[in-house]
Amino acid sequence: MVLQAEEYFKNQYGKQHGTPKHIRFVIYDDKMWRLCLKHIKASNWVADYGSGGGTLLYNVAQFSNARLLGVERVALPAIRSKALIPKLNVVRGNIMETPLKNECIDFAFSTMVIEHVDDKNFTEEVYRTLKPGGYFFVTSVIKAKNAWYFYKNTAGETVLDPSHLKEYKSIQEFEKVFDSIGFTIIESSASRIRYPVLDPLLKWLVKLTGMQNLLEWKVVEFLRLLTQIPIPGYFAGEVLAKKIE
């Protein structure tokens, strides 16, 4: 049975210990990150829809004086993100129906969240809250024909996570979600998704020692990046789109 998005994130954050700060755990393509930074520097309000533990907005805060807004439904990651970024404004709520006003955000992020919800409805909500000429950077899972992972959905198909409502077959299919709403695609990419092979050991160490902040150590972040291996057939689709002015 496929988990609902809220239940999924509660389970995930119940298992996680710490919030890695390295941007490569969130955005795979360096060129895409540089493009985001270019537009973020001219933004007054930057929001992350499904902000989790705050890794992405932590990195944004290093390069921008914009006001930061994290939209997160689950309590634990919201608390952690606020501790990580004291100046962060956290909105506890559903990303599908935010309390945000129309056209109030300059730059919106959402990373590896859209596959857990109705993509059309979610994109429409982001479009509503973006200012004309505002940008939306969004990522999701691209599943090639030869993809393999150890999770299966109810249909017996390989999936990166059993809670995914959809895994896109190509970057072009992913782009169409935003084209259909009225966004203009600025740039897109598809990079290999990689898994840190040290993670099972690190989670065991956290459980054994009770060192809740172990994954935040810089040396641990470095080792996790160093030991990443590609997951066969899976890519991170990354799209930068612009709301028509």
Side-chain angles (χ1 to χ4, degrees):
M1 180 178 180
V2 177
L3 294 172
Q4 294 297 316
E6 182 178 5
E7 182 182 353
Y8 165 78
F9 286 111
K10 283 181 179 178
N11 289 341
Q12 285 295 99
Y13 279 97
K15 296 174 184 175
Q16 287 183 3
H17 305 276
T19 305
K21 300 175 184 177
H22 203 297
I23 193 62
R24 284 186 177 271
F25 291 117
V26 183
I27 298 178
Y28 282 73
D29 190 309
D30 286 340
K31 179 182 177 182
M32 298 297 288
W33 175 231
R34 290 194 299 270
L35 278 173
C36 289
L37 290 179
K38 174 184 175 181
H39 298 297
I40 286 168
K41 290 176 181 178
S43 299
N44 292 319
W45 277 99
V46 174
D48 187 4
Y49 294 76
S51 52
T55 297
L56 177 52
L57 290 178
Y58 171 85
N59 282 274
V60 171
Q62 311 310 306
F63 298 94
S64 170
N65 293 320
R67 295 182 178 182
L68 304 180
L69 182 68
V71 183
E72 177 57 55
R73 189 168 191 167
V74 185
L76 182 57
I79 293 169
R80 286 180 175 171
S81 64
K82 185 65 177 176
L84 185 66
I85 318 160
K87 71 174 185 176
L88 177 65
N89 300 280
V90 179
V91 174
R92 287 284 310 284
N94 186 351
I95 60 171
M96 307 292 283
E97 298 176 344
T98 71
L100 303 180
K101 296 179 180 179
N102 292 344
E103 300 181 351
C104 63
I105 302 298
D106 298 288
F107 197 108
F109 283 102
S110 186
T111 55
M112 296 299 174
V113 170
I114 195 171
E115 63 274 8
H116 297 279
V117 298
D118 184 296
D119 54 4
K120 182 177 183 295
N121 289 343
F122 173 54
T123 304
E124 287 176 344
E125 175 64 5
V126 175
Y127 192 89
R128 178 188 70 78
T129 60
L130 269 180
K131 294 177 182 178
Y135 292 89
F136 183 29
F137 179 81
V138 57
T139 75
S140 191
V141 174
I142 307 295
K143 177 184 176 181
K145 290 182 179 180
N146 63 334
W148 182 88
Y149 202 54
F150 51 80
Y151 286 126
K152 300 282 186 179
N153 62 15
T154 53
E157 301 169 323
T158 294
V159 287
L160 201 59
D161 193 284
S163 68
H164 289 177
L165 299 183
K166 184 168 187 176
E167 292 183 344
Y168 301 92
K169 294 181 176 63
S170 67
I171 190 66
Q172 292 78 19
E173 182 185 5
F174 189 38
E175 288 178 358
K176 286 180 181 178
V177 176
F178 314 102
D179 283 332
S180 65
I181 303 299
F183 281 101
T184 297
I185 305 298
I186 303 299
E187 190 71 51
S188 65
S189 68
S191 304
R192 286 274 188 184
I193 292 180
R194 298 174 180 272
Y195 178 77
V197 295
L198 280 183
D199 275 11
L201 173 62
L202 292 171
K203 290 178 181 178
W204 177 80
L205 285 174
V206 169
K207 184 177 180 180
L208 180 68
T209 64
M211 299 172 65
Q212 301 295 321
N213 65 338
L214 180 65
L215 296 184
E216 296 182 15
W217 296 5
K218 288 188 179 297
V219 64
V220 172
E221 290 185 13
F222 173 76
L223 289 173
R224 289 185 72 214
L225 287 169
L226 193 66
T227 60
Q228 286 182 321
I229 60 172
I231 299 175
Y234 276 102
F235 298 82
E238 302 180 329
V239 170
L240 179 62
K242 183 176 182 181
K243 181 175 179 177
I244 297 172
E245 297 185 56

